[in-house]
Amino acid sequence: MKLSARLGTPQWLALAWLLVVAAIGWHQWQFWQAPLLDTDVFALLPQDEKAPVAQRAMRQLGEQGERRVVVMLGAPDWRGAQDAAARFDASLAAAQAGLRRAGDGGVAAQSLDFYRPWRDALLTDGQRAELRSADTSTLAAQALERLHSLNTGQPTAWLADPLGLWTAWWSQRAGLTAARPRDGLLWVADPDGRRDWAVLLYETEGSAFRLDGERRWGDALDAAGRAAAEAGPVTLLRAGVPLHAEAGAAQGSREMNTIGWGSLAAVIALVWWAFRALRPVALIAVSLLVGCAAALSVTVWVFGQVHLLTLVFGASLVGVAEDFGIHYFTSRLASPKTERWPLMKHLLPGLALALLTSVLGYLMLAVVPFPGLRQMAVFSSVGLVAAFLTAVCWFPALDPGTLRGSRMAGTVAANLARWPALKGRRLWVLLVIFTMLCAWGVSRLQANDDLRQLQSSPPELVKDQVEVSRLLQIPSPAQFFVVRGATPEAVLQREEALKDKLQSDSAKADTPALSAVSDWVPSTARQADNRRLTSQTEQAVLGKVSQALGEDLQRPAFNPAPLELQAWLASPASAATRAQWLGPIDGGYASAVLIRGLANRAQAEALHALGEQIEGVHWVDRAGDMSGLLGRFRVTMGWLLLVGHVVVWSAMALRYGRSAWRAWLPTALASLGCLAALGWLGEPFQLFNLLALMLLLGMGVDYGIFLLEHQGEDQGHAWLAVLLGALSTGLSFGLLALSATPALHAFGLTLLTGLALVCLLAPLFRLHQPHPRQA
């Protein structure tokens, strides 16, 4: 007899789903060998198709420092800073935490050798102005004075640079950072003179994206800081992308464990409390694990990697996906004599409608072009579908025997009859009072679209990063100019025009400075003009010096060809600035000009206005732009939420007719109550509150659907399923409200409040008629 004849439809479904789950398990084993995780905040945000150059700049500037960690040790004097640095470095080396000292590797000497042939083409703006107006006799006297001095530490011989032009050019290049070499370390003087700072540079080994909850680098730096403090009073500052990534990974691990395992424990406890049997606990746990595994596999397959916040958000899926299993087992209590597969077929329309509304709620998150939200939507939707299929395909086959249930479960089911059902005048009075209270709370809402809501780095690490940037005068990676041109030469010339414009408009001492590629590779036109100035002036000076010395001094020959950008990019001299050259894009070329010393919004607005005066120059403020974008999408999602309510009501009306409002109204009122509660609590109103309300729409109507699907004695057990599902979902999202990431906190708090209100309101609108279409 053939296998197809021996197996019925339920068995084929169970076997087919087993093969799918086996494939998911194989992928999970491969994935966790080297998980592809992302913690970049900007990766969550929409990709602005109108600004691909700005996106490339952000990516390249971020990659430049993705492995660099900066440590600063401050002491009352330089000797104390040296001692602290020595102890710190020794402790860190002994810890073997994967942080190695990063030296310049002879880059300074290599850079001198690289630039030497083009010494005559390199001038500062001040030197250009001086050479145009200087008196030759005065310059000759200065050259003679330099000749007779000790001339130690000069980058080239006197005859190759009689006026010391190259020394001043290199001094200006060194001024691009506040750190100076001193006694084998980098030294920075505190602006207020109270501390000397020793600067230590490290590079990371290995990945920061470890989900073991450990802060290997952070803990090693803390221990090294305690060792450094043994030398005397010392202030420790740490900064670097790896530290933020590691802190985010550690926090994500803690939150996933808290939310995921906490939710699973809550679900197991509730299921055991209701059914007092291991079989429902085991099967529901299996459905949750399969759902989460399938969600992760599909997300990685679609997006290539998964964001850490997606995993934290997805951990709350545990509190949602159990509804299908709980509803099945409560129906088993209500109909103990019904066969398993016929019971599942009877439940399937209601479960499928509940799945549809929940998935619609999640997929509405994907309407806006947020990569992070789309990941979360795909993760959660796939997880729900997988949990649903696990329940439908496996539960009837793996659920033999009887199910007695607990006395408490029977009590809860029977108590629905005592729950008031509102109709007529009482219903209208309740609606009016509830609406008035909500209107007062909604009027107190304050919108907040700050991008920092997505930031989960510890406050002390953010504070250290800001202080290190201030002391070292590190340019901001989030606010800069993008300069575009048809050719590399056009880009360099526009950079020079931008710098000239800023210098001519600078009237204050605190005016920010610009850091550009043209600081290191002047345009060909600027190089030619520099050559002309140095040749004329130096030859005239050498002529006068020759007369004074009675010797025939000849200026050495320099490379007549201009310094090419490509040669610079290929040399070690470009290591610190190479990321600012963005290269060919959209039929042209582009570069990023960074800003040092940007301290307030007024300066940023002045720079914005300055950039608009020069062709091909565009001001980029990614944080400000993204905050504005969050605000615009908040408004858009508000309208989509209203559309979503209409769509869900329409879907339910196809099955329940005029009674569809009974399943929809509790969620609508709960959404209004959530907004009022946010206003009463003084919580900021943001995009993620609306996204939570969108998800509440998908989940909240499930409770109304379950109560409409069952009448008579069955309705009591449907109420038991609703209560168990609401408690487990509320617990999971309640734990999400504990997240240190403001966006996830807002999401969890909104859903927790909304689900509680839906659970309270849904029984008030239940139907008493024997058939749902007769109301």
Side-chain angles (χ1 to χ4, degrees):
M1 188 176 182
K2 294 184 178 180
L3 179 64
S4 58
R6 294 198 301 265
L7 295 180
T9 300
Q11 290 77 16
W12 273 115
L13 287 175
L15 180 60
W17 185 238
L18 178 63
L19 295 176
V20 174
V21 172
I24 293 171
W26 176 78
H27 177 267
Q28 289 292 297
W29 182 83
Q30 282 194 320
F31 174 81
W32 289 110
Q33 300 299 312
L36 301 173
L37 300 177
D38 188 8
T39 62
D40 181 14
V41 169
F42 284 97
L44 294 170
L45 301 176
Q47 302 299 308
D48 187 356
E49 297 179 357
K50 298 180 181 179
V53 184
Q55 293 174 25
R56 178 184 292 188
M58 291 287 294
R59 183 174 62 253
Q60 288 191 194
L61 294 173
E63 290 172 353
Q64 183 182 32
E66 64 182 2
R67 305 189 69 85
R68 178 63 59 91
V69 173
V70 180
V71 173
M72 298 186 67
L73 296 159
D77 55 58
W78 175 236
R79 177 61 63 85
Q82 283 180 290
D83 291 344
R87 291 172 180 267
F88 185 94
D89 197 44
S91 173
L92 198 59
Q96 296 183 346
L99 286 170
R100 66 173 185 270
R101 277 291 293 274
D104 63 6
V107 170
Q110 294 173 5
S111 299
L112 281 171
D113 292 338
F114 172 77
Y115 280 108
R116 201 180 305 278
W118 293 282
R119 196 283 302 168
D120 64 328
L122 305 174
L123 293 175
T124 67
D125 293 335
Q127 289 171 339
R128 286 167 52 81
E130 183 181 354
L131 293 182
R132 286 194 182 98
S133 59
D135 177 67
T136 305
S137 298
T138 302
L139 293 178
Q142 294 174 354
L144 278 170
E145 184 179 350
R146 289 188 70 252
L147 177 62
H148 293 302
S149 67
L150 292 177
N151 196 33
T152 58
Q154 302 302 318
T156 188
W158 176 88
L159 189 59
D161 185 20
L163 301 178
L165 298 174
W166 207 24
T167 303
W169 186 83
W170 275 109
S171 295
Q172 190 181 76
R173 301 289 82 72
L176 297 178
T177 177
R180 298 287 184 272
R182 183 175 178 181
D183 299 328
L185 294 170
L186 290 175
W187 163 75
V188 174
D190 202 303
D192 58 17
R194 292 184 300 175
R195 290 187 186 91
D196 284 290
W197 294 89
V199 183
L200 302 176
L201 304 179
Y202 295 94
E203 289 184 352
T204 61
E205 298 173 346
S207 173
F209 307 133
R210 298 180 300 274
L211 292 180
D212 54 8
E214 298 294 329
R215 292 173 59 250
R216 182 176 57 172
W217 300 330
D219 291 343
L221 292 175
D222 289 341
R226 291 191 293 270
E230 295 175 0
V234 63
T235 301
L236 172 65
L237 300 176
R238 297 91 57 85
V241 173
L243 299 183
H244 290 273
E246 183 185 60
Q251 177 182 300
S253 175
R254 291 193 301 272
E255 292 185 354
M256 279 193 298
N257 288 331
T258 301
I259 296 168
W261 292 111
S263 300
L264 185 60
V267 170
I268 290 174
L270 287 170
V271 173
W272 174 260
W273 170 78
F275 303 111
R276 293 297 173 90
L278 291 176
R279 189 169 64 254
V281 173
L283 289 179
I284 290 177
V286 167
S287 71
L288 297 179
L289 293 176
V290 170
C292 291
L296 178 58
S297 293
V298 173
T299 301
V300 173
W301 178 65
V302 172
F303 297 97
Q305 62 181 359
V306 60
H307 199 282
L308 188 62
L309 287 184
T310 300
L311 291 182
V312 175
F313 177 85
S316 63
L317 181 67
V318 172
V320 183
E322 90 292 347
D323 284 354
F324 309 114
I326 287 176
H327 194 62
Y328 168 80
F329 282 108
T330 53
S331 297
R332 286 267 285 112
L333 290 179
S335 305
K337 296 182 180 181
T338 304
E339 292 295 328
R340 313 298 182 267
W341 181 244
L343 175 64
M344 180 60 77
K345 289 178 65 176
H346 172 71
L347 298 176
L348 198 56
L351 293 178
L353 184 59
L355 173 69
L356 175 63
T357 55
S358 295
V359 170
L360 281 176
Y362 277 115
L363 291 181
M364 289 298 284
L365 303 182
V367 172
V368 293
F370 273 51
L373 294 181
R374 287 178 172 173
Q375 271 198 23
M376 295 176 187
V378 169
F379 188 100
S380 301
S381 299
V382 172
L384 278 180
V385 172
F388 170 82
L389 291 174
T390 302
V392 170
C393 297
W394 286 359
F395 281 20
L398 301 177
D399 179 34
T402 60
L403 188 66
R404 292 181 301 172
S406 67
R407 180 180 300 178
M408 185 63 68
T411 302
V412 171
N415 279 341
L416 179 65
R418 301 186 181 92
W419 201 281
L422 296 180
K423 56 184 178 179
R425 179 177 298 178
R426 287 191 301 171
L427 173 61
W428 286 107
V429 170
L430 173 68
L431 291 178
V432 170
I433 295 175
F434 187 83
T435 303
M436 291 177 62
L437 291 174
C438 289
W440 178 71
V442 171
S443 67
R444 297 169 57 87
L445 282 176
Q446 297 291 329
N448 182 5
D449 302 308
D450 194 338
L451 178 64
R452 286 174 292 185
Q453 296 170 111
L454 295 173
Q455 181 58 261
S456 58
S457 293
E460 62 274 10
L461 185 57
V462 174
K463 183 179 178 181
D464 279 5
Q465 184 83 39
V466 171
E467 186 65 10
V468 168
S469 298
R470 183 186 70 85
L471 290 170
L472 294 181
Q473 300 177 14
I474 297 175
S476 168
Q479 293 170 307
F480 52 89
F481 288 106
V482 165
V483 181
R484 305 188 64 176
T487 64
E489 174 69 10
V491 174
L492 294 175
Q493 289 186 15
R494 286 173 176 173
E495 281 189 1
E496 291 165 348
L498 177 62
K499 292 186 293 183
D500 292 343
K501 183 66 176 174
L502 178 63
Q503 188 174 19
S504 64
D505 289 356
S506 297
K508 298 180 180 179
D510 62 347
T511 300
L514 303 183
S515 175
V517 173
S518 56
D519 291 333
W520 301 93
V521 186
S523 65
T524 300
R526 180 64 60 92
Q527 291 183 52
D529 193 41
N530 289 345
R531 277 200 174 92
R532 179 184 59 79
L533 287 171
T534 55
S535 177
Q536 290 177 355
T537 307
E538 288 180 349
Q539 294 218 11
V541 167
L542 287 176
K544 290 185 177 295
V545 172
S546 296
Q547 293 176 4
L549 297 177
E551 299 181 19
D552 184 15
L553 300 177
Q554 296 295 325
R555 184 173 181 264
F558 295 98
N559 192 336
L563 170 58
E564 295 289 346
L565 179 67
Q566 291 304 317
W568 175 77
L569 290 171
S571 75
S574 63
T577 319
R578 189 181 297 138
Q580 291 180 234
W581 181 254
L582 307 180
I585 186 169
D586 292 343
Y589 294 83
S591 70
V593 176
L594 304 183
I595 299 130
R596 292 180 290 111
L598 188 60
N600 53 59
R601 181 175 296 275
Q603 290 178 334
E605 292 174 351
L607 288 174
H608 187 186
L610 176 70
E612 292 181 343
Q613 302 175 30
I614 302 172
E615 182 182 0
V617 175
H618 173 63
W619 169 254
V620 175
D621 181 358
R622 292 297 283 170
D625 292 345
M626 288 300 104
S627 295
L629 194 61
L630 288 174
R632 292 194 296 274
F633 278 121
R634 175 174 51 80
V635 175
T636 302
M637 286 302 297
W639 289 107
L640 285 175
L641 179 61
L642 296 178
V643 173
H645 274 270
V646 174
V647 170
V648 169
W649 191 354
S650 301
M652 291 189 298
L654 294 176
R655 178 165 177 79
Y656 302 117
R658 290 176 297 173
S659 296
W661 69 272
R662 295 181 179 274
W664 164 80
L665 187 59
T667 302
L669 294 176
S671 299
L672 188 60
C674 281
L675 295 177
L678 293 174
W680 295 332
L681 296 173
E683 289 282 329
F685 180 58
Q686 51 177 286
L687 172 65
F688 292 89
N689 296 119
L690 281 172
L691 297 177
L693 292 178
M694 187 69 74
L695 190 54
L696 176 65
L697 171 63
M699 294 189 301
V701 296
D702 290 356
Y703 304 148
I705 289 173
F706 291 155
L707 291 177
L708 283 179
E709 281 289 321
H710 300 273
Q711 299 300 319
E713 294 182 1
D714 284 357
Q715 197 174 56
H717 288 87
W719 168 240
L720 174 62
V722 167
L723 189 61
L724 291 176
L727 286 174
S728 59
T729 305
L731 283 173
S732 68
F733 283 106
L735 292 172
L736 191 63
L738 301 177
S739 172
T741 303
L744 293 181
H745 164 76
F747 197 98
L749 179 62
T750 303
L751 269 176
L752 177 63
T753 305
L755 288 170
L757 288 173
V758 172
C759 190
L760 291 173
L761 293 172
L764 302 179
F765 300 96
R766 68 188 186 277
L767 186 66
H768 289 281
Q769 281 78 3
H771 193 279
R773 289 187 180 276
Q774 296 178 3

